[in-house]
Amino acid sequence: MPKRRAPLILLLTALLPFLATCLPPNSDVNDATAKRQLMAEAEAGARLSTRAPNQTMYGDIDISAFPSCAAASCIKSEQFSPSRIGCNSAKLTTDCLCHKAPTPLACSPEGPSDENNCWYQLEDWFSGACDGNVTMVDPATIPQCAQKCTFVTLSSLGCRSPTRNCLCILGRQPVIDAVGSCVAQNCAKKMQGSFSSASWRDDICKTGQAGAYDQDAYDKYIKMVHDTRIAVPVVVVLIAAFLLAGVYNLVMHDDMSGNLALGLIILIVVLALAIILPIEFAL
């Protein structure tokens, strides 16, 4: 029996490949495989299409158009690395460059200048890399009385727009002196003690932001001063008038000598001025 079955087994083995081609295909499996292949090819094509042929990347940032005047101080020197500009990421990302880094352009070889436009080229590149999301100096961090002067000063120092990058690339002491002068010239004495131009500048350039100035508290103070300047003189004048009337009455009834009356009148006037003048000029 085994010998008779051997030719049949050999024949079936030889026909198996042919029979397999005649079986209906598993359409579900084949369709799923084809879909996966198409999706993989589409994703690969999308990745290739988003990157220009000559695009140069630094992490996730396209530096193909990075200003050549700043390349040596920023790119080649590694000053543009995440750790150098204040981020914890392993590579330079858009979030790091445009949002988290307090002073991402601190590597610039120079600040604003009429003689060289490298800084302005760098700012333009940064704006493009961040889709125009450039952090500005917030007016709310400055007393209202000094805001206009401060922004005019930044413009005179070379900042075409009051960006945080431009503020922080300027010399520290010139900024502190200029903003302090704006406060001294335009704000009340009380304001000068409640705002520090040095702390304001350092907070922005070290942490990326400064706290909003408490304008409401200052406005309440100004209202109190206004009310005091009106109320106190009125009260003092009324008291002085009452005293003067008393002196006059005594003189008219010969109960007080003329010299004594004159002395009292002078004393009343001096006391009134001693109360009113400090309030008018000191507050």
Side-chain angles (χ1 to χ4, degrees), residues 189-209:
K189 292 181 180 180
K190 174 72 174 180
M191 177 74 71
Q192 298 174 28
S194 62
F195 177 80
S196 168
S197 58
S199 297
W200 171 78
R201 186 267 176 198
D202 291 344
D203 286 346
I204 292 176
C205 298
K206 290 180 180 179
T207 66
Q209 61 183 354

Side-chain angles (χ1 to χ4, degrees), residues 25-134:
N26 189 334
S27 58
D28 292 339
V29 174
N30 290 342
D31 288 347
T33 302
K35 287 180 180 179
R36 285 196 296 270
Q37 290 177 346
L38 288 173
M39 290 177 64
E41 291 174 0
E43 291 175 358
R47 287 194 297 268
L48 290 174
S49 64
T50 57
R51 181 169 295 185
N54 298 323
Q55 194 173 38
T56 303
M57 305 298 292
Y58 191 104
D60 292 341
I61 306 301
D62 179 10
I63 58 170
S64 304
F66 194 87
S68 58
C69 59
S73 60
C74 294
I75 305 298
K76 296 178 182 178
S77 66
E78 294 297 320
Q79 291 296 320
F80 226 39
S81 62
S83 60
R84 294 289 182 87
I85 64 175
C87 298
N88 295 323
S89 55
K91 64 178 180 178
L92 187 62
T93 63
T94 301
D95 184 50
C96 167
L97 178 70
C98 304
H99 304 293
K100 292 184 178 179
T103 53
L105 301 185
C107 60
S108 175
E110 58 186 83
S113 170
D114 293 334
E115 300 176 358
N116 193 315
N117 63 356
C118 184
W119 169 255
Y120 302 118
Q121 292 178 23
L122 194 56
E123 273 204 314
D124 290 343
W125 172 85
F126 181 85
S127 179
C130 297
D131 293 328
N133 295 320
V134 181

Side-chain angles (χ1 to χ4, degrees), residues 3 8 19 34 45 75 80 100 133 161 180 194 200 243 250 257 262 270:
K3 291 182 179 180
L8 180 59
L19 293 174
I75 305 298
F80 226 39
K100 292 184 178 179
N133 295 320
S161 57
S194 62
W200 171 78
L243 294 175
L250 292 174
S257 65
L262 180 61
V270 170

